[in-house]
Amino acid sequence: MRARLIDGKAFAAGLVERVAAAAARLEAAHGIKPGLAVVIVGEDPASQIYVRNKGETTARAGMRSDTHRLAETTTQAELLALIAQLNADAGIHGILVQLPLPIHIDSAAVLGAIDPDKDVDGFHVVNAGRLAVGLPGLVPCTPLGSVMLLKEALSELSGLNAVIVGRSNIVGKPMAQLLLAENCTVTVAHSRSRDLPALCRAADILVAAAGRPEMIRGDWIKPGATVIDVGINRVPSADPVKAAEGKTRVVGDVALAEAVEMAGAITPVPGGVGPMTIACLLANTYTAACRAAGVEPETLAG
Ligand code: GUN
């Protein structure tokens, strides 16, 4: 079997268009323009690229986009003061603090200071709790986008065996909550799990979120399974000459060439889950703006 490649890039572009149209209607009907504030501390090159992409996509969707670039030497008190100011700003509906933060800043304290109703990353413990008990809240963008792609690929998830490899607060745990809510039978596997290949082979839905390049091999995949690869790993180029020149390539947590021979459908890296993360950030900002105004958000999933 040769797997169908799930085109996250195209799905994300459609989602951004739907968010932009819904945001335009919100502004026309209620005079509210959804606003996202992104805060970055320091000069980490990868973070700079992510933040620029977030700002540009938000502005392209017709939403307000403010980027706060703070020096590496910013103190925790200064960062907390900015968050308090953004919490109080009625024109800002979403606040995202780019991670990682410099080591002299306590990330948990900073994330915990964001108003949960503006926490468009869904990282605040209040939003984690809401997700766990099934209350409306803001859901972390990568798992939210992954579930949208799964529903696109499978339409009905109920009763399927889902195995998630990775137990992070950002992906693995919220993904487990979302798939439980879809009536999947959920297993969360991790680096200490016994016989990981056997666990994976039981999965109708396999979510790879371990952060280890090409860790999941083709023979770990049940024939016909749907595979969601959340990994984004930079590794040396496959060409030894280019690798010697320091050239790199991006791979997922799944060995894609092997996996396409086994899976029914799979998200490629790049072009799978990655583009969904920013699209879901915009969707969360729109949702937060609607809730702040007491307006029912339109359905965006597509
Ligand atoms: N750094 C890498 N990915 C993310 C993300 O999704 N949110 C935030 N805040 N920081 C990140």
Side-chain angles (χ1 to χ4, degrees):
M1 171 176 252
R2 236 194 119 71
R4 177 170 85 81
L5 295 182
I6 300 170
D7 190 347
K9 201 171 164 195
F11 191 91
L15 179 56
V16 169
E17 271 180 30
R18 291 194 293 282
V19 174
R25 283 190 287 272
L26 180 69
E27 191 174 1
H30 301 278
I32 297 154
K33 189 197 248 319
L36 172 67
V38 175
V39 181
I40 177 167
V41 184
E43 303 294 331
D44 178 64
S47 292
Q48 295 283 344
I49 294 169
Y50 286 137
V51 164
R52 192 174 342 115
N53 284 344
K54 284 169 187 169
E56 285 173 5
T57 314
T58 309
R60 246 189 290 125
M63 295 163 48
R64 174 173 163 192
S65 161
D66 295 357
T67 303
H68 297 264
R69 295 175 193 282
L70 306 184
E72 180 83 27
T73 51
T74 301
T75 65
Q76 183 165 320
E78 285 166 337
L79 181 54
L80 290 173
L82 173 60
I83 288 169
Q85 182 195 316
L86 296 171
N87 282 342
D89 183 340
I92 290 296
H93 308 96
I95 302 168
L96 180 146
V97 177
Q98 185 68 24
L99 301 176
L101 286 167
I103 46 164
H104 65 276
I105 294 177
D106 176 354
S107 301
V110 171
L111 297 180
I114 296 171
D115 176 346
D117 294 332
K118 295 190 178 188
D119 166 39
V120 283
D121 255 332
F123 293 169
H124 196 290
V125 288
V126 165
N127 282 316
R130 286 168 172 163
L131 181 60
V133 299
L135 286 173
L138 290 163
V139 175
C141 301
T142 300
L144 183 60
S146 298
V147 170
M148 284 184 192
L149 292 181
L150 274 173
K151 285 181 159 177
E152 234 267 304
L154 289 169
S155 63
E156 184 55 67
L157 311 186
S158 182
L160 296 179
N161 278 339
V163 176
I164 301 160
V165 184
R167 55 178 156 178
S168 71
N169 292 336
I170 294 176
V171 181
K173 287 179 197 163
M175 191 72 196
Q177 303 288 1
L178 289 171
L179 290 174
L180 262 183
E182 295 293 335
N183 302 310
C184 290
T185 304
V186 178
T187 302
V188 182
H190 47 78
S191 54
R192 305 283 178 90
S193 294
R194 288 201 196 135
D195 203 349
L196 200 49
L199 283 174
C200 292
R201 274 183 217 115
D204 303 307
I205 293 170
L206 181 59
V207 180
R212 290 178 55 187
E214 299 180 321
M215 165 193 178
I216 292 181
R217 311 309 306 187
D219 64 356
W220 297 24
I221 296 169
K222 176 174 170 175
T226 304
V227 180
I228 300 289
D229 189 352
V230 177
I232 301 178
N233 309 288
R234 199 161 275 285
V235 297
S237 170
D239 177 336
V241 177
K242 288 188 180 158
E245 292 167 354
K247 295 261 175 11
T248 60
R249 69 196 162 106
V250 172
V251 299
D253 289 356
V254 178
L256 183 62
E258 294 174 18
V260 290
E261 302 300 332
M262 295 298 270
I266 184 166
T267 58
V269 177
V273 172
M276 290 300 290
T277 300
I278 291 185
C280 286
L281 176 65
L282 302 197
N284 278 351
T285 304
Y286 163 76
T287 301
C290 288
R291 288 187 185 145
V295 175
E296 183 64 28
E298 294 179 31
T299 305
L300 298 167

